[in-house]
Amino acid sequence: TVRIEHAFIAPERTAAPLVVFLHEGLGSLAMWRDFPKAFCDAAGVRGLVYSRPGYGRSTPRAPEEAWDLDFMHRQAHEVLPALLDRLGVDATETPLWLFGHSDGASIALLYAAHFAGHPKRRPAGVIAMAPHILVEPLSIASIREAREAYLRTDLRERLARHHDDVDSAFYGWNDVWLSPGFPGWQITLELKHIAAPVLAVQGEDDVYGTMAQIDGIAAAVPKTSLLKLPHCGHSPQRDQPEAVIRAVAGFMQAAVPPAEEPDIPTLPS
């Protein structure tokens, strides 16, 4: 049995769309901090935040378990749909939006591509913040630096506040990204299957990826909007939360066609 830590935001908004938040490669439910609630309140939507297996208070990765190069595909194709099924989320009953950050953004894109033709699971839209669609030398260099920081600074101690098994979280992510085959990883071919609108967000100072990531999404997915943020690093939700909330709320509103005005007959005077 796998335990998945999760929390709903504003579940009382039963008629509102549901936004699922997918965290980064070292993230968790807690590490989103107050951003999901601030966004849901501003946009008037419901939220679902969860920690993937291996992270937060979810079931840790077994010590001998090494994630394969397809670990993000498995999260998108197996774990997320199983969680949504268990929680009774049906996209035919309520609009389903995916809001992913970093690895979570890649998972959101993979989910949208895989389930584009599945009415009960099909997302209404995707927000991909600091996504990875291919591996750049910059990414690998920064992930090597993260490993050094984990071994030599207080990074391990700081992350341990948010994960039941911090080594499970860190090495599950770091080992696969630094594995010999990972530089060839890419999801550009899958992107063309995405039917939902996508808002792709990238900070100009992101040390884990360049604008090639979101420009690549725009080249593959016709209904893509881009948000390029100056003075912003790998975590736009922390560096520029107001700009992100404003842009995402506007994107969601624009993606939903306005309700047709009912035909009201003109009464004779």
Side-chain angles (χ1 to χ4, degrees), residues 39-233:
F39 173 78
C40 289
D41 287 347
V45 297
R46 294 180 290 152
L48 170 62
V49 193
Y50 75 102
S51 298
R52 296 192 293 276
Y55 295 94
R57 312 300 170 211
S58 295
T59 300
R61 179 179 56 91
E64 69 281 357
E65 178 189 355
W67 292 344
D68 293 325
L69 301 185
D70 67 347
F71 78 103
M72 286 187 261
H73 287 77
R74 294 189 64 184
Q75 291 295 324
H77 298 172
E78 300 169 19
V79 178
L80 177 54
L83 173 64
L84 295 176
D85 285 351
R86 185 66 180 268
L87 296 175
V89 175
D90 184 337
T92 62
E93 297 175 353
T94 183
L96 173 66
W97 293 76
L98 303 180
F99 194 142
H101 175 220
S102 192
D103 284 13
S106 305
I107 293 166
L109 292 166
L110 286 166
Y111 178 100
H114 191 69
F115 293 110
H118 193 300
K120 293 184 72 173
R121 292 179 175 167
R122 180 170 54 217
V126 176
I127 299 92
M129 192 166 57
H132 309 290
I133 66 167
L134 50 84
V135 179
E136 299 179 273
L138 172 76
S139 312
I140 299 297
S142 294
I143 287 167
R144 284 203 184 96
E145 289 179 12
R147 194 181 192 95
E148 288 300 307
Y150 191 77
L151 293 171
R152 301 179 190 280
T153 73
D154 66 345
L155 176 59
R156 184 179 187 276
E157 180 183 343
R158 288 187 285 120
L159 288 172
R161 301 172 197 152
H162 304 287
H163 302 285
D164 281 348
D165 186 335
V166 67
D167 289 339
S168 161
F170 184 84
Y171 288 112
W173 165 79
N174 198 259
D175 285 351
V176 68
W177 267 89
L178 295 182
S179 63
F182 207 73
W185 177 92
Q186 56 84 23
I187 62 170
T188 52
L189 297 179
E190 282 99 330
L191 296 178
K192 65 184 180 184
H193 299 296
I194 296 175
V198 175
L199 174 63
V201 183
Q202 187 83 19
E204 291 183 356
D205 303 326
D206 190 341
V207 297
Y208 286 98
T210 70
M211 292 300 166
Q213 304 290 342
I214 64 170
D215 288 341
I217 296 172
V221 183
K223 291 189 284 187
T224 298
S225 302
L226 298 180
L227 176 62
K228 300 181 178 183
L229 294 170
H231 314 296
C232 181

